[in-house]
């Protein structure tokens, strides 16, 4: 019985996710759902990426956190449109939360919308938001074994970023074992090593995203 109720909730969420995607389509916005553990570097990566997408692609951000406006304040300081969602304890964002945030963003002026999901490797994957792409960020200090312990989120990724690559030697991080774990659940996914501290890989990642955004906007027009 409980399973049926859970399924109904997810179905209702998915319907709103479809509506969100229709709104994004009307305004020509490409939406990236950014998922990772707490502290993996979601906000740092979003900021570094937005800088590199300019001036031709303009971004906006929805920040999801249990509490506080710390991340939204960081984004707003750079003059980037941002809405903070505080879930008050819920460990993921859902489609109705995103729908509620959209009227507070200048969508027609935004090409790429980053949604920073609540830091969590489990719950966010179950809730569609209406995004066009799932970006999963793993970070070196978390350990190489995360894809083996939390396969669902890596299976759902369109791109996996391995952040804090500057710490690989310090943490004796086993890159081959990490990548093997990702490929076990998502054989063809692109894995890009980045560091928001040294800037390693950020240009390569941004070019990858730029291509995806171009393809998305082109597909939307046809
Ligand atoms: N050494 C190193 N530190 C990093 C890197 N990227 C981010 N950090 C640091 O890691 C910490 C967390 O970064 P955030 O970008 O706030 O991470 P987050 O995933 O947004 O965190 P929450 O929103 O709290 O879940 C900060 O102290 C960053 O300066 C990196 O590539 N290398
Ligand atoms: Mg953050």
């Amino acid at each position: 019985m409980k399973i049926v109720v859970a399924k109904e909730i997810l179905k209702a969420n998915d319907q709103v996710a479809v509506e969100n995607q229709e709104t994004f389509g009307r305004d020509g916005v490409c939406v990236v759902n950014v998922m990772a553990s707490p502290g993996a570097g979601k906000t740092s990566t979003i900021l570094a990426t937005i800088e590199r997408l300019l001036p031709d692609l303009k971004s906006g951000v929805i920040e999801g956190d249990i509490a506080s406006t710390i991340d939204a304040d960081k984004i707003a300081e750079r003059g980037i449109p941002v809405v903070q969602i505080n879930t008050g304890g819920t460990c993921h964002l859902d489609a109705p939360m995103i729908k509620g945030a959209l009227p507070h963003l200048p969508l027609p002026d935004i090409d790429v919308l980053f949604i920073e999901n609540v830091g969590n490797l489990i719950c966010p994957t179950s809730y569609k938001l209406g995004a066009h792409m799932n970006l999963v960020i793993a970070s070196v200090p978390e350990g190489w074994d995360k894809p083996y312990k939390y396969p669902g989120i890596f299976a759902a990724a369109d791109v996996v970023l391995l952040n804090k690559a500057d710490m690989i030697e310090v943490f004796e991080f086993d890159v081959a074992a990490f990548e093997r774990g990702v490929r076990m659940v998502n054989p063809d996914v692109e894995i890009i090593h980045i560091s928001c501290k040294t800037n390693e890989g950020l240009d390569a990642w941004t070019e990858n995203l730029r291509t995806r955004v171009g393809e998305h906007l082109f597909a939307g027009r046809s």
Side-chain angles (χ1 to χ4, degrees), residues 80-192:
I80 300 158
V82 59
V83 176
Q84 177 80 54
I85 297 174
N86 283 148
T87 64
T90 305
C91 55
H92 57 85
L93 294 175
D94 63 28
M97 293 179 197
I98 300 302
K99 187 178 179 183
L102 296 183
H104 305 284
L105 285 167
L107 285 186
D109 300 333
I110 292 174
D111 302 303
V112 185
L113 177 65
F114 294 91
I115 301 177
E116 180 176 334
N117 219 311
V118 179
N120 186 316
L121 291 182
I122 308 155
C123 313
T125 36
S126 301
Y127 289 81
K128 289 183 185 160
L129 305 179
H132 303 101
M133 173 186 170
N134 286 335
L135 175 65
V136 172
I137 305 176
S139 71
V140 167
E142 293 165 51
W144 57 268
D145 53 3
K146 292 303 155 297
Y148 299 87
K149 295 178 177 173
Y150 303 92
I153 196 159
F154 291 93
D158 293 301
V159 172
V160 173
L161 298 180
L162 177 60
N163 188 33
K164 310 195 188 183
D166 55 289
M167 305 298 277
I168 285 176
E169 284 181 17
V170 179
F171 281 86
E172 297 181 347
F173 184 90
D174 189 336
V175 172
F178 171 78
E179 295 194 349
R180 238 184 354 259
V182 174
R183 300 235 176 272
M184 273 172 59
V185 291
N186 199 339
D188 301 320
V189 73
E190 288 182 77
I191 305 172
I192 304 172

Side-chain angles (χ1 to χ4, degrees), residues 6-17:
K7 270 190 182 161
E8 286 304 314
I9 290 169
L10 285 177
K11 205 169 135 195
N13 179 80
D14 290 357
Q15 278 163 2
V16 180

Side-chain angles (χ1 to χ4, degrees), residues 34-47 63-65 70-71 74 116-120 137 139 141-142 162-167 171 194-200 202:
V34 183
M35 297 181 283
S37 303
K42 296 179 291 299
T43 308
S44 305
T45 304
I46 289 169
L47 281 168
E63 279 293 340
D65 285 293
I70 294 172
D71 283 354
K74 270 188 214 161
E116 180 176 334
N117 219 311
V118 179
N120 186 316
I137 305 176
S139 71
E142 293 165 51
L162 177 60
N163 188 33
K164 310 195 188 183
D166 55 289
M167 305 298 277
F171 281 86
I194 61 163
S195 168
C196 296
K197 195 178 167 93
T198 66
N199 293 329
E200 173 188 343
L202 287 172

